[in-house]
Amino acid sequence: MTDSLPTVGFVGLGNMGSGMTRNLQAAGFPLVVTDLRREAAAELVAGGARWADSAAAVAANSDLVITMLPTPRHVGDALHGADGILAGIADGGTWIDMSTSVPEVADAVRTDYADRGLRILDAPVSGMSVGASNGTLQIFIGGNAADVDRLLPVFHAMGDADRVLHVGGHGAGYAVKLMINQLWFNHLIATAEVLSVGVKAGVDLEVLRRSLIASPANSNFLENDVLSILDGGDYDEGFALVLACKDLGLSVDLARSVGIPVELSALVEQQFRRAKALFGDRAGEMTPFKLYEDLVGAPLRRTPTEEFAR
């Protein structure tokens, strides 16, 4: 990249995209943006970003295009048709998909438009909406190393520079993100089970949690992430349960496609789908924890004394 910052096109200004674009803007990148909801761009436009009426217009007026969308279908819709990215992007242009998706969509573009010389990277993220807002996302990039190096300033504007990782060739970013999600969701169900059984057996909740942390069974989820539930009853409504179910379905599908049986993750997926059926699509991604709280007969919460005891 040259000393002058490129114009970044961004398609998708939801819970994640809104924070990511604010950080790009704060870093000085000119922006061209679009979303199904024009009001989602109001703050960005007030700060100097340009609104575009279509993904094609975003691509035509940008040096590179980023998509951050809910599902592979939404990514495909943003790419194709008269209003799609492929109708507006210049030959040799750059498209970065930061959605939690699967390789097939980008692979089809590389195959069907091979003569256009497009530079395509998959770069999904971890860190939830808080990380998107704070610019501390972990970013897992699949694609050509030279393209990754060229675009590092863009990625560093949105993520933690120490955790912006080039993880391999095309599709590797998607695979790494899906495996991270799969393991995190497994941790959630395992933690809910263990804490519920221990409390029901008469063990103090925080004594049990601290004992587990001190043991070989410790995890980042148990040590940190679960505290949003135990301290404030926050099940992370910033990421909807319907999207968590989508991600689990994609990870199980990926396992099937490479011939690896994932019996445990398939069961976890069904637990998440059970929670979605009971609590609704828009419930937070950590809501399956409630399935076990309901079995205990009360929410699992630390008392202030437990919270601050050392």
Side-chain angles (χ1 to χ4, degrees), residues 75-93:
V75 175
D77 290 346
L79 283 169
H80 300 288
D83 292 329
I85 290 168
L86 292 169
I89 196 168
D91 289 354

Side-chain angles (χ1 to χ4, degrees), residues 14 28 57 85 125 131 145 155 159 168 173 185 214-215 218 233 268 281 290 302 304:
I85 290 168
V125 306
F155 292 123
F185 293 137
S215 80
N218 190 26
V268 168
D281 288 0
K290 286 185 177 181
R302 301 197 301 179

Side-chain angles (χ1 to χ4, degrees), residues 13 17-18 21-23 25 31 33 40-50:
L13 303 175
S18 59
T21 46
R22 285 197 299 271
N23 284 306
Q25 190 169 68
L31 295 176
V33 300
E43 181 182 339
L44 296 167
V45 171
R50 286 182 285 164

